[in-house]
Amino acid sequence: MNFLALIQAAAAAAQPTAPAAAQATAAQAPAAQAPVADAAAPVAQAAKELLPQASTFAASIDDSFLLILWFAVFLAIVVAGAFAIMVLRPSAGTAGSTSRALYRWSAVGAFALVAVFFVQGARVWADMQVVPRGAVPVRVALEEKGWSFTYPNGYVTNELHLPIDRAVKLTFQGASEPYTFAVPAFRLQIAVPVGTRRDAWVQPTLAGDWEVRSTVPSLRKAEELVAQATVHAEGGYEKWYQDISGPPLDLPPVELGQRSYQMRGCTQCHTVDGAKLVGPTFKGFLAREHRMKDGSVVDPSDDYIKESILDPQAKVVEGFEPVMPSFKGRLHELEVAGLAAYIKSLQ
Amino acid sequence: MNSSHSIGSTNPGAAAKPSAGGELWFFTQDHRRLAWMYAIVIGLSLVVGTVLAVGLGLQPLTGHGTAADAESYRRLYSMHGLVMVFLVALPALPGIVGNWLLPERLGVDEMAWPRMNLLAFQLLLVGCVFFLVAFFATPLDTGWDFALPYALKSNSSVAWGMLGIVFVAASFATSGANIVATVITSRGAGRCWSDLPFFAWAMGAAGLIQAIVTPVLLAALALLFAQREGASDVFASSGADVRFDQWFWFWAHPALASMLLAAIAVIGDVVGEHGDRPRGASRASVLSVMAITVFAFAGWGIHVLGRTDSAACDAAFSALVLASGVPLIVLIVDWVTTLERGEARATTALGYAATSVVALTVGGMAGVFLAVPGTGAHLQNTSFSTGALHFLVVGGVLGALLAGVHQLWPRWIGVAAREGWGKFACFLFFVGVNLAFVPLCVRGYLGQPRRTLEVVAADERLGWYAVLGAGLVVGALTLAAWNLVATLLDSRAVLAKKEAD
């Protein structure tokens, strides 16, 4: 078992409730919790919960850390011990001067060690610099309203969704103030200075929710600097991505709307041929009177259609139940506009 | 001041000097009296800074969550940092131990420029007054390093704080130049460089750095001030060309090195007195001091030539920080072998020196974690870096100060502090430093951002360990202070009795 595990376990032993991330791990990734036969199991387990190794970098950074940590502990003990021995030994040493060889070898030794640390660390670092081919590209920025993550299909959210065991390329866009993208569970922290662009990558290895945070001093509220990175279990990311993937956004509006109407499940409740399902038909949408439950009549404008999609319960059509789900945050602006154009185009 | 005569007259040198007689202490140019006055001002600052530190440790464990909590936490850590860095860590060793010991070690009566010596102290006092104004008006909330964007947008007493720093920095530059001048001019009487004691080499290097780098800090602060007043926009919020933190660290990096060199000077001196080399300096140790000085300025070069966000620059910088470990190891070898050849006794002073060396080792190794490219990125801006800095400053610098003061005490007041209590305090200090700052490092590795009230990583038990450690350090300092003051009072009683007889 390793030393870091010990430190972490000491801290974890005192921890009444495991962090949310660890609980999520337990729920989503039972594989990671596989029972270990040896006696150190509970300790290693506690360490995993406190600071899980959730990316391919985590293990190598921890190794690099432990290498230096062991040496630091060793050196501190040797130095303290040397001073102690010098005052506790029974008789004084002989006068003279320290041999040059001793100085030289300690300098060479120190230099060699430092070089080893540097090279070991630099290897991990170099690995972090080279984004593997075929990595899923995600654009990241810390904007006025908080974090934003843009996926290949143009979908934007304030949550980071990642596939498990697949490389993800993160492209950071500098904001008007510097920020960092820090995910301790991945042992990844990228500094993004003002107005620059940076690439990085990560390959998550553990499903769960991990905290993303900018650690640079900022005047913003602390919550705005925090986001959640969800690593989906096997297949989960693909399903989520399918879900957010709508039609190509560069289609002409009416066509985009038609494709969206079919892809987004509107057809479960709506028709374009006049048949009445759970919801009203869209046939002759502009010509028809739209009378609401409260008796008012609304104008079939773009705004009304948009509101019906994003906030369906705001106005409920007479004769129907308020069962339509909100599509807020699930559709691109252009898609909503396309849907409105399509619905209005139906004679 | 009434007490002045009895204290002054126990000094072997002071009594012999005509100028030390009846003048007011505040206008004294006597280096030993100035050392006393530094000791008083720095001691009081240390008390204030420590009280703030305990508050800092306790706040995350008691109140957090509201915006007011976050604000008061920012004020706490800013004032704590300001007081500890500018009024304790940087001036303590040159001001107290340097003033007392440097002329003695060089075999001269006074510093090269006694009047400038007084001026340096008075500048520090003026800086202190401005800090007090900042303290009681609206406590700073920018951090001791005037981190942007706070420093630009904050409506706390930033201007007073900056004004304070201008005076304090001028004090450092003045006293640094004076130290260098004293070392150089002392060689007049047929002495050559190789006769210089280790203390003079290392303290001289510390002074040299201070004298050279201070203008950078002043320039950066002046520009920042202008920008706050709307008269400039050098530190543009868009475009990455000029960044205040780069300018600031352009000063802070060598300043930190100078602080450590001063600690190294004191450790070397105390070790020398315990070992076989009370005065001289080995070639290896002098070369090490020079190497540390050169590295400190090379760090400068990197800040000037390169933009810190280029990878090559990062690598060069971390290589440089790592390389500084080599001279430190050589120095430690030098100290241990010096002790080996002498008849070292386990004294309080040597205990503090050893504590300081161990803390410098641990802090230095923590610096390695931060400088190595892989772990460094993960640890940046976390409480790991806070922990590392505290090992260097509290364990290293404060430890060296305590070592120096205990070593000099018999010569200051004619009586040594009680060894039993002294060693006990030293033990508490050693345990306290480790207990207080290891948890900070562990939390940092677990992802706790520095200067963040909210406990993000790990759990509160670690915070309690740190508070307990801080409590031990406070206990140790109180005990040490009591021990020193009690012997001082005793010595005066003895003296009074002698005079009466």
Side-chain angles (χ1 to χ4, degrees):
Chain A
M1 63 168 282
N2 64 36
F3 193 78
L4 180 66
L6 252 182
I7 298 184
Q8 294 172 346
Q15 173 102 335
T17 54
Q23 283 167 359
T25 320
Q28 296 186 18
Q33 315 281 315
V36 186
D38 67 14
V43 176
Q45 180 71 26
K48 274 220 180 81
E49 279 179 15
L50 209 51
L51 189 63
Q53 296 184 332
S55 83
T56 49
F57 299 140
S60 30
I61 300 247
D62 285 354
D63 285 349
S64 180
F65 181 79
L66 286 170
L67 176 79
I68 308 174
L69 183 67
W70 277 120
F71 180 72
V73 170
F74 169 76
L75 191 65
I77 291 174
V78 166
V79 170
F83 271 83
I85 289 171
M86 288 313 136
V87 296
L88 296 179
R89 81 212 145 116
S91 64
T94 48
S97 61
T98 313
S99 81
R100 283 205 181 174
L102 184 57
Y103 286 127
R104 211 173 293 144
W105 283 112
S106 47
V108 170
F111 189 81
L113 266 168
V114 159
V116 168
F117 297 150
F118 185 78
V119 169
Q120 154 93 4
R123 271 181 27 208
V124 185
W125 181 81
D127 187 25
M128 291 174 132
Q129 305 309 305
V130 187
V131 183
R133 275 159 181 271
V136 179
V138 178
R139 270 186 292 134
V140 185
L142 185 56
E143 292 168 341
E144 291 298 297
K145 351 185 252 306
W147 288 97
S148 91
F149 303 98
T150 311
Y151 297 86
N153 58 9
Y155 183 79
V156 186
T157 61
N158 54 8
E159 283 172 8
L160 179 57
H161 289 263
L162 299 166
I164 193 164
D165 295 331
R166 257 177 82 189
V168 177
K169 174 181 174 183
L170 302 164
T171 301
F172 298 93
Q173 193 57 53
S176 59
E177 55 175 296
Y179 66 92
T180 67
F181 172 87
V183 187
F186 296 161
R187 313 290 187 283
L188 183 71
Q189 179 162 213
I190 309 291
V192 188
V194 171
T196 54
R197 237 192 60 152
R198 274 214 164 161
D199 285 340
W201 70 283
V202 64
Q203 178 163 331
T205 53
L206 212 57
D209 294 333
W210 316 114
E211 195 177 75
V212 178
R213 173 184 289 269
S214 169
T215 60
V216 175
S218 162
L219 292 172
R220 293 145 163 259
K221 289 202 207 73
E223 310 88 82
E224 288 174 22
L225 301 173
V226 180
Q228 185 175 298
T230 301
V231 176
H232 291 274
E234 195 63 53
Y237 175 79
E238 288 70 18
K239 193 168 166 294
W240 172 83
Y241 191 74
Q242 188 93 57
D243 221 36
I244 57 138
S245 294
L249 293 172
D250 49 3
L251 292 175
V254 174
E255 204 173 317
L256 174 63
Q258 181 182 13
R259 295 273 288 275
S260 177
Y261 169 75
Q262 283 152 355
M263 290 177 72
R264 300 300 192 181
C266 313
T267 50
Q268 285 171 15
C269 308
H270 297 282
T271 64
V272 292
D273 60 3
K276 183 174 148 186
L277 299 179
V278 181
T281 180
F282 293 146
K283 189 171 186 210
F285 193 82
L286 284 181
R288 188 148 48 81
E289 186 186 68
H290 298 268
R291 184 175 291 278
M292 302 294 123
K293 254 198 174 131
D294 60 6
S296 62
V297 176
V298 301
D299 197 27
S301 63
D302 274 5
D303 284 346
Y304 168 64
I305 299 179
K306 276 180 196 160
E307 186 189 62
S308 298
I309 297 170
L310 302 178
D311 186 11
Q313 262 60 277
K315 301 193 179 73
V316 178
V317 182
E318 192 183 41
F320 294 91
E321 293 305 311
V323 291
M324 174 169 160
S326 164
F327 288 84
K328 195 171 182 160
R330 292 169 58 191
L331 301 180
H332 194 276
E333 252 173 68
L334 289 173
E335 222 181 316
V336 177
L339 278 166
Y342 172 63
I343 292 172
K344 285 196 299 190
S345 73
L346 296 166
Q347 301 297 316
Chain B
M1 250 182 236
N2 238 341
S3 61
S4 66
H5 189 71
S6 59
I7 295 172
S9 61
T10 59
N11 302 335
K17 272 204 293 208
S19 69
E23 68 186 359
L24 275 176
W25 270 55
F26 188 72
F27 297 107
T28 187
Q29 294 172 19
D30 179 284
H31 67 102
R32 290 196 176 85
R33 289 189 162 184
L34 281 167
W36 270 110
M37 296 210 287
Y38 270 109
I40 292 167
V41 171
I42 290 167
L44 290 177
S45 307
L46 182 61
V47 171
V48 173
T50 310
V51 169
L52 292 170
V54 172
L56 268 177
L58 283 174
Q59 204 187 344
L61 304 169
T62 48
H64 51 84
T66 70
D69 289 337
E71 176 70 21
S72 74
Y73 188 71
R74 282 219 303 276
R75 294 188 193 288
L76 268 181
Y77 74 64
S78 302
M79 295 309 296
H80 164 76
L82 205 67
V83 168
M84 288 304 212
V85 171
F86 290 100
L87 296 182
V88 180
L90 282 164
L93 291 170
I96 303 174
V97 187
N99 251 321
W100 187 280
L101 203 56
L102 189 65
E104 196 176 311
R105 282 286 178 262
L106 290 169
V108 294
D109 289 342
E110 248 314 332
M111 299 292 282
W113 302 319
R115 222 178 275 173
M116 267 178 80
N117 205 14
L118 171 63
L119 178 69
F121 175 72
Q122 289 171 337
L123 286 169
L124 187 81
L125 268 192
V126 176
C128 246
V129 170
F130 286 125
F131 282 171
L132 280 177
V133 174
F135 220 123
F136 287 108
T138 326
L140 281 186
D141 57 2
T142 60
W144 66 273
D145 51 357
F146 293 91
L148 259 47
Y150 290 119
L152 283 178
K153 308 270 170 63
S154 163
N155 51 13
S156 65
S157 321
V158 181
W160 288 112
M162 288 203 274
L163 205 57
I165 290 191
V166 168
F167 281 90
V168 170
S171 158
F172 297 160
T174 315
S175 104
N178 203 355
I179 288 173
V180 175
T182 308
V183 171
I184 293 176
T185 56
S186 76
R187 290 171 29 262
R191 265 134 93 36
C192 59
W193 289 105
S194 59
D195 294 333
L196 280 183
F198 179 77
F199 185 79
W201 278 109
M203 196 51 94
L208 180 72
I209 294 180
Q210 282 297 353
I212 294 179
V213 299
T214 306
V216 180
L217 177 65
L218 295 181
L221 286 178
L223 288 172
L224 183 65
F225 184 76
Q227 185 152 349
R228 264 183 74 83
E229 299 301 311
S232 136
D233 56 354
V234 209
F235 304 118
S237 47
S238 61
D241 284 338
V242 187
R243 279 167 36 198
F244 178 74
D245 58 331
Q246 260 167 321
W247 275 66
F248 189 85
W249 281 95
F250 191 81
W251 168 80
H253 178 81
L256 189 69
S258 125
M259 199 156 84
L260 298 182
L261 279 168
I264 285 169
V266 176
I267 296 168
D269 198 79
V270 171
V271 165
E273 293 228 323
H274 282 78
D276 80 329
R277 192 189 291 127
R279 294 295 134 82
S282 70
R283 235 169 64 121
S285 64
V286 172
L287 286 176
S288 301
V289 164
M290 287 178 172
I292 294 175
T293 314
V294 170
F295 288 153
F297 283 114
W300 241 43
I302 289 176
H303 285 297
V304 192
L305 296 177
R307 293 176 28 181
T308 331
D309 27 293
S310 87
C313 221
D314 282 351
F317 189 72
S318 45
L320 201 70
V321 172
L322 289 175
S324 314
V326 176
L328 189 60
I329 295 281
V330 172
L331 281 171
I332 292 176
V333 168
D334 185 65
W335 294 332
V336 171
T337 52
T338 302
L339 282 181
E340 200 266 329
R341 288 190 305 269
E343 278 175 82
R345 283 176 312 108
T347 63
T348 308
L350 189 59
Y352 280 117
T355 302
S356 173
V357 174
V358 172
L360 289 180
T361 310
V362 175
M365 288 304 298
V368 170
F369 288 112
L370 290 164
V372 161
T375 48
H378 169 55
L379 292 171
Q380 63 176 314
N381 296 337
T382 67
S383 64
F384 191 94
S385 53
T386 318
L389 183 73
H390 280 78
F391 266 106
L392 294 177
V393 173
V394 181
V397 175
L398 200 55
L401 177 68
L402 288 164
V405 168
H406 279 86
Q407 180 74 10
L408 288 175
W409 205 240
R411 272 180 281 161
W412 278 29
I413 64 160
V415 186
R418 275 160 291 192
E419 276 291 307
W421 284 112
K423 283 180 199 160
F424 181 58
C426 176
F427 173 73
L428 284 186
F429 183 74
F430 181 84
V431 176
V433 165
N434 287 289
L435 195 58
F437 304 127
V438 166
L440 274 182
C441 293
V442 173
R443 268 173 156 188
Y445 197 80
L446 297 180
Q448 173 72 31
R450 73 192 182 119
R451 297 181 173 178
T452 303
L453 177 55
E454 187 196 346
V455 180
V456 171
D459 65 303
E460 304 200 333
R461 194 65 72 93
L462 278 175
W464 283 112
Y465 293 148
V467 169
L468 186 65
L472 287 183
V473 172
V474 172
L477 292 177
T478 314
L479 199 57
W482 167 78
N483 192 9
L484 293 171
V485 170
T487 47
L488 171 67
L489 297 179
D490 281 359
S491 79
R492 285 181 57 198
V494 170
L495 273 165
K497 198 159 172 287
K498 258 192 207 157
E499 257 167 45
D501 287 346

